[in-house]
Amino acid sequence: QYAEAGQTPSPQKLNFWDAHIGPENVDSHTSRSRLFLQSFDDFRSRQNLSKEQLRFAVLVQHFASQDTMDFRRPPEKRMHDDVFEGILTSSVNAQLVTDAHRAEWAIEGDGFVVPKAQNDEERKQLIVDFGASLVTALEEFLLAFCKRRQLSEKGSDYLIQAVTTQMSQCGLANLDRCSRVGQFMVGGAGLKQHVNYNISCTNAGPLGEALKLTLGCLKEGFNFYQSTTATPMEDGPKSCDPQSCMYQCATLRFTTKLGLEMPDGEDEISCVVIDAYDEVRIHPTHTI
């Protein structure tokens, strides 16, 4: 596709291909997926999960863990080129800051939602103020966790980068690329999209204190949809009942290990999916 378009893949895209193409890479990722399922509670307890639900959980685990590991790679080996900023640190994913006003947030039970504005000018200022207050609260929460876990300055930056990357469009993109919801485009005058992020501390047993992050997206009120896996000639837009909805969410757990316990002497941050769910409810009527 790049050759046909006369374009050159970015270094990050080439690194992504290098890490995923070839028998050895496939075998390695397959082995890790099997290990994940062995510790995935819904799988171990023999819950009545469909193949699609299991596929969703396994793929989200793969991409979220790959994102987390990416920050430990040398810059020339990374698969992403995200930009980071912040108020108390310089480690918050810039995409989180940009899209902060488009989501609802909860940090250890405290909610953050953009207040309603009387006019456009007031809304612009409210968005700026909201972004600053959210980022500050999130940084304070994460820095306090890092201090309790005795992470180094580098390890703290690494954790904040990993967590805030999943608390941004990057995390939602992981859900989209793995779920049934991502196989459809939806639209209509009544379309509403609700994005939520909820982060708190949790007890991970022998792994100690950990972070639990739930991210989700609900789409409702749309009156037409189209498959992204078919050509327009094969499957054009279809109308549907506005009661149709699509929902996807995942809960991730971030754990830490001090550098003293690691061969390379650097703090380790691990990301594991502990819950994942996606649902598509479409009530079609006729082709538009």
Side-chain angles (χ1 to χ4, degrees):
Q1 293 179 344
Y2 281 91
E4 292 176 359
Q7 299 177 344
T8 302
S10 68
Q12 291 77 26
K13 178 63 71 174
L14 292 174
N15 290 336
F16 181 87
W17 290 342
D18 287 342
H20 288 84
I21 296 175
E24 291 185 2
N25 286 326
V26 172
D27 288 345
S28 175
H29 294 313
T30 300
S31 177
R32 289 183 180 182
S33 294
R34 287 172 177 165
L35 288 173
F36 160 68
L37 284 176
Q38 290 174 11
S39 62
F40 187 51
D41 286 344
D42 285 352
F43 182 75
R44 293 172 59 197
S45 59
R46 300 185 181 277
Q47 293 287 333
N48 188 24
L49 296 175
S50 66
K51 292 181 180 179
E52 290 81 9
Q53 293 291 349
L54 281 176
R55 176 183 180 275
F56 179 51
V58 168
L59 289 178
V60 173
Q61 170 63 31
H62 172 75
F63 287 113
S65 61
Q66 285 292 308
D67 287 349
T68 302
M69 290 188 292
D70 204 45
F71 299 112
R72 293 194 66 178
R73 300 184 180 107
E76 67 275 9
K77 295 291 185 181
R78 290 185 180 175
M79 292 183 277
H80 305 287
D81 60 347
D82 294 346
V83 176
F84 298 89
E85 55 184 270
I87 296 175
L88 305 178
T89 73
S90 57
S91 302
V92 177
N93 195 294
Q95 197 63 54
L96 181 156
V97 180
T98 300
D99 295 332
H101 63 287
R102 297 188 175 96
E104 297 180 2
W105 309 78
I107 302 174
E108 200 70 293
D110 294 331
F112 293 81
V113 182
V114 178
K116 292 184 179 180
Q118 299 296 323
N119 52 61
D120 290 343
E121 286 301 316
E122 183 182 4
R123 177 167 172 76
K124 289 179 182 178
Q125 188 58 50
L126 284 174
I127 288 174
V128 172
D129 295 342
F130 174 78
S133 63
L134 173 69
V135 170
T136 300
L138 182 58
E139 286 178 311
E140 289 176 343
F141 170 74
L142 293 175
L143 285 171
F145 172 80
C146 292
K147 184 177 181 180
R148 292 194 300 273
R149 297 299 294 167
Q150 299 181 326
L151 297 182
S152 65
E153 182 177 352
K154 186 176 181 180
S156 298
D157 288 340
Y158 173 29
L159 179 128
I160 296 172
Q161 289 175 346
V163 171
T164 60
T165 292
Q166 298 307 314
M167 297 181 75
S168 73
Q169 187 60 39
C170 305
L172 292 180
N174 283 339
L175 300 189
D176 272 342
R177 72 201 301 186
C178 302
S179 68
R180 290 171 292 175
V181 173
Q183 298 174 14
F184 297 93
M185 295 185 296
V186 298
L191 172 63
K192 293 181 180 179
Q193 178 169 290
H194 309 276
V195 177
N196 294 273
Y197 300 98
N198 187 328
I199 190 167
S200 60
C201 294
T202 186
N203 185 346
L207 297 176
E209 186 181 16
L211 295 174
K212 183 174 72 172
L213 167 64
T214 298
L215 59 155
C217 179
L218 169 67
K219 297 178 183 179
E220 61 179 355
F222 52 89
N223 56 22
F224 73 84
Y225 70 100
Q226 181 173 355
S227 170
T228 60
T229 59
T231 66
M233 293 297 292
E234 294 174 332
D235 188 9
K238 289 181 170 58
S239 63
C240 61
D241 191 301
Q243 295 300 312
S244 300
C245 66
M246 298 183 182
Y247 180 62
Q248 55 186 348
C249 70
T251 299
L252 314 177
R253 187 184 66 194
F254 292 88
T255 56
T256 65
K257 283 186 179 181
L258 294 179
L260 293 174
E261 304 176 41
M262 305 305 299
D264 59 6
E266 292 190 5
D267 297 335
E268 179 184 81
I269 312 298
S270 297
C271 177
V272 175
V273 172
I274 57 176
D275 191 24
Y277 180 77
D278 79 306
E279 182 177 18
V280 174
R281 290 187 181 181
I282 295 179
H283 307 290
T285 52
H286 60 275
T287 304
I288 294 177

